[in-house]
Amino acid sequence: MTNDAGAPQTGADAAGGAATPSADAVSCTGLAYAFGETRAVDGLDLSVAKGEVFGLLGPNGAGKTTAIRCITTLLPVPAGMVRVFGHDAAKERMAVRRLLGYVPQQLSADAGLTGRENVALFARVFDVSRRERGERVAQALAAVDLTDAADRLAGTYSGGMIRRLELAQALVSAPRLLILDEPTIGLDPIARTGVWEHINAVRDATGMTVLVTTHYMDEADQYCDRVGLMHRGRIRALGTPAELRQGLAERRGTETLPTLEDVFRDVAGSGLDDTSGDFRDVRSTRRTAHRVG
């Protein structure tokens, strides 16, 4: 089913079960997750309202990606800690997965397949019926303006096209919640703007909720309805970008309005310390940036 914009339409019954009508899109209550002795997420409380674009910000090692992997059921959590549209991520993992579209930080497109084949592969993974698959794939490609390039190998795409292709992969299942982990990493400003224009076009057409992590403060300021600044596994500041900037100005007693980057530094500190990810984090980020650059 599509809307007038030609984008895949989300549906309340996509999860195959009845969610609580008043439930937030995402609700985390005391979410905790540890890797050995390291607590990556430490009592995270977070609510994302239906239909909003929510930015989860923080330095490397703050726990953002771990939190997202818990929300997407890629990491196991105890019952009651994470709910997606009212569905418990521990007890209803498949129901939650049917509600999600996920663009990870690491590239997921296969350079040896065409754009259409990449999206079709994800349609099969998300169990889109064979009868609807061709139409859904075409709709997803059209939504990110890749119809003309659909039958070219993904290995010939530019960095911005690759990220749009991955967005199409996430959209092919008509998700109610789109989760984006550093979706514009390594892209030039024009390509970054293009990716966000397509995200917003689909969101406006479908009412889809978007949860995004980014290190680009200008993106968060411009495109996010609300942001949560995460540090050492917890949310340390929460509000609209304007509210956070105004709050810092009041604390500083200045009439000059700070930037969101100033707020980020105030919450997370400006120095480099041992919480800023590990070797694998840096290597993964650089590989992704290199491949889309």
Side-chain angles (χ1 to χ4, degrees), residues 208-262:
M208 177 179 63
T209 304
V210 179
L211 172 59
V212 59
T213 75
T214 180
H215 282 126
Y216 296 118
M217 295 299 106
D218 58 322
E219 289 185 358
D221 203 354
Q222 181 175 355
Y223 298 114
C224 294
D225 299 313
R226 289 192 306 142
V227 299
L229 285 164
M230 192 171 178
H231 188 44
R232 299 184 187 274
R234 295 184 181 182
I235 297 293
R236 307 294 178 172
L238 177 67
T240 68
E243 289 170 346
L244 295 178
R245 288 187 277 109
Q246 183 62 41
L248 180 57
E250 292 173 357
R251 292 196 301 276
R252 288 179 171 179
T254 177
E255 294 182 0
T256 303
L257 197 63
T259 65
L260 193 57
E261 184 171 343
D262 292 328

